[in-house]
Amino acid sequence: RAKSQQRGGHFYFSRSMGVEIRERVRLMHALRSGVQRKELFLAYQPQVDLGTGRPFGAEALLRWRLEDGTMIPPDRFIPIAEYSGLIVEIGAWVLREACAELMRLRAAGYLDFTMSVNVSQAQFRHPQFVEVLRRALEDSGAPPEFIELEITESMAMEEPQLLAEMLAQVKRTGVSIAIDDFGTGFSSLSHLQRLKVDRLKIDRAFVTEITGSARGSSIAAMIIQLGRNLGLSVIAEGVEDERQAQILHALGCPLAQGYLFSRPLSPQGLLEWLGAQGVGDAA
Ligand code: C2E
Ligand code: MG
Ligand code: MG
Ligand code: MG
């Protein structure tokens, strides 16, 4: 058996790995037809000013609901979309839809509202990306200064030169850039300084730790200080309770999002939530 395993240099994998691979292939096919059947949609999580509690924007989060109602979480299907290349088409749709939603919010009177859109590595690196972004902005009429793209810190690590050039091109469209899940990717700080980013998003993991000990809050405190030193905006994600919000605010973090304020909402739910906060055209 050991011999046959080696013959031809074949990769010998376990039954459970085989099951996992088959499951991924199945999901990939389901995703391809799901895109056609319009099973994907966006949910919007409000972002607020920690000092005043006022909402100033929302993050668009991709959702996939199968015909039978089953929800597949993005952490499960986005890696599959990336590795199958489907993310290019899906990501372009996300951009268009998020821009369209921003325009609907503007039409409802929310003129000072930003929309954050997650962009994955494979999408960002696609040669047509800037063109797709430009088209989404032009076709919708969305003002670029109210659109923010979130890229992950691990993306910021690879090929710094190429990334810097890409970011410069993207920034020329007028949108701003946030680094998502900041603190998890060990990016070089000197590198960060050279990248033209606008905002750091403190990863939920560091927000969760914050109420434990002084040590627990040290990473969040460091990111907030770093943002201040580099002149970058900082937002905390995954804020679930009042105490976390208080500590973040005391540490000087100006912005936040999380279940404490709201879960991700449908477009209608977002309008209702905003209305209940007493902002917008009535304010
Ligand atoms: P992310 O961009 O870091 O998004 C934050 C995630 O934390 C979201 O999960 C959100 O629903 C969740 N969250 C927000 N507040 C809380 C909280 O208080 N507590 C807890 N426990 N969770 C909270 P979601 O929607 O499942 O998205 C997971 C990841 O999938 C996102 O992480 C992002 O990396 C990716 N993703 C989502 N939508 C898109 C998209 O349109 N394009 C791309 N490329 N990636 C996306
Ligand atoms: Mg994000
Ligand atoms: Mg994040
Ligand atoms: Mg995250």
Side-chain angles (χ1 to χ4, degrees), residues 36-108:
Q36 264 142 31
R37 275 188 252 142
K38 306 203 189 312
E39 290 173 0
L40 299 181
F41 60 99
L42 296 179
Y44 301 90
Q45 185 174 45
Q47 300 175 318
V48 305
D49 182 308
L50 270 178
T52 62
R54 262 181 91 88
F56 66 91
E59 176 176 6
L61 293 159
L62 193 55
R63 296 287 176 264
W64 180 18
R65 188 194 290 118
L66 301 181
E67 259 177 342
D68 67 2
T70 314
M71 296 290 300
I72 314 282
D75 291 332
R76 180 82 182 128
F77 72 83
I78 284 166
I80 291 166
E82 286 185 330
Y83 120 122
S84 64
L86 274 170
I87 194 69
V88 174
E89 181 187 343
I90 294 173
W93 175 81
V94 169
L95 271 171
R96 287 196 303 272
E97 187 62 21
C99 285
E101 182 57 24
L102 179 74
M103 292 311 279
R104 286 189 284 268
L105 287 160
R106 291 177 69 80

Side-chain angles (χ1 to χ4, degrees), residues 45-262:
Q45 185 174 45
Q47 300 175 318
V48 305
D49 182 308
L50 270 178
T52 62
R54 262 181 91 88
F56 66 91
E59 176 176 6
L61 293 159
L62 193 55
R63 296 287 176 264
W64 180 18
R65 188 194 290 118
L66 301 181
E67 259 177 342
D68 67 2
T70 314
M71 296 290 300
I72 314 282
D75 291 332
R76 180 82 182 128
F77 72 83
I78 284 166
I80 291 166
E82 286 185 330
Y83 120 122
S84 64
L86 274 170
I87 194 69
V88 174
E89 181 187 343
I90 294 173
W93 175 81
V94 169
L95 271 171
R96 287 196 303 272
E97 187 62 21
C99 285
E101 182 57 24
L102 179 74
M103 292 311 279
R104 286 189 284 268
L105 287 160
R106 291 177 69 80
Y110 298 99
L111 294 171
D112 206 10
F113 200 82
T114 62
M115 185 62 74
S116 293
V117 184
N118 293 283
V119 174
S120 77
Q121 166 134 326
Q123 188 190 353
F124 193 77
R125 291 201 181 289
H126 192 273
Q128 295 300 310
F129 178 71
V130 178
E131 195 44 40
V132 166
L133 171 62
R134 217 173 260 133
R135 285 291 296 273
L137 293 167
E138 274 173 24
D139 292 351
S140 63
E145 61 272 32
F146 292 101
I147 298 286
E148 175 182 76
L149 304 184
E150 297 188 5
I151 62 172
T152 59
E153 193 188 9
S154 48
M155 240 166 101
M157 281 289 286
E158 288 169 48
E159 303 171 75
Q161 196 52 47
L162 185 67
L163 181 77
E165 278 164 31
M166 275 296 297
L167 280 181
Q169 276 188 51
V170 168
K171 294 280 319 243
R172 254 179 263 132
T173 67
V175 305
S176 56
I177 306 281
I179 302 195
D180 206 353
D181 304 336
F182 192 77
T184 61
F186 311 103
S187 56
S188 114
L189 296 183
S190 60
H191 174 203
L192 178 69
Q193 193 177 18
R194 274 183 280 121
L195 291 177
K196 300 269 173 271
V197 303
D198 304 277
R199 181 172 287 168
L200 306 176
K201 292 196 83 170
I202 304 174
D203 190 65
R204 184 170 83 230
F206 307 121
V207 172
T208 308
E209 282 173 5
I210 220 170
T211 42
S213 57
R215 255 187 102 145
S217 65
S218 61
I219 294 180
M222 193 202 73
I223 296 171
I224 294 160
Q225 193 56 48
L226 180 68
R228 185 174 299 158
N229 293 345
L230 295 177
L232 306 177
S233 165
V234 176
I235 184 167
E237 68 175 12
V239 178
E240 292 185 352
D241 61 55
E242 203 55 70
R243 224 173 110 60
Q244 292 169 345
Q246 273 163 14
I247 295 173
L248 284 161
H249 188 234
L251 290 171
C253 180
L255 311 172
Q257 67 186 85
Y259 295 170
L260 172 63
F261 311 102
S262 173

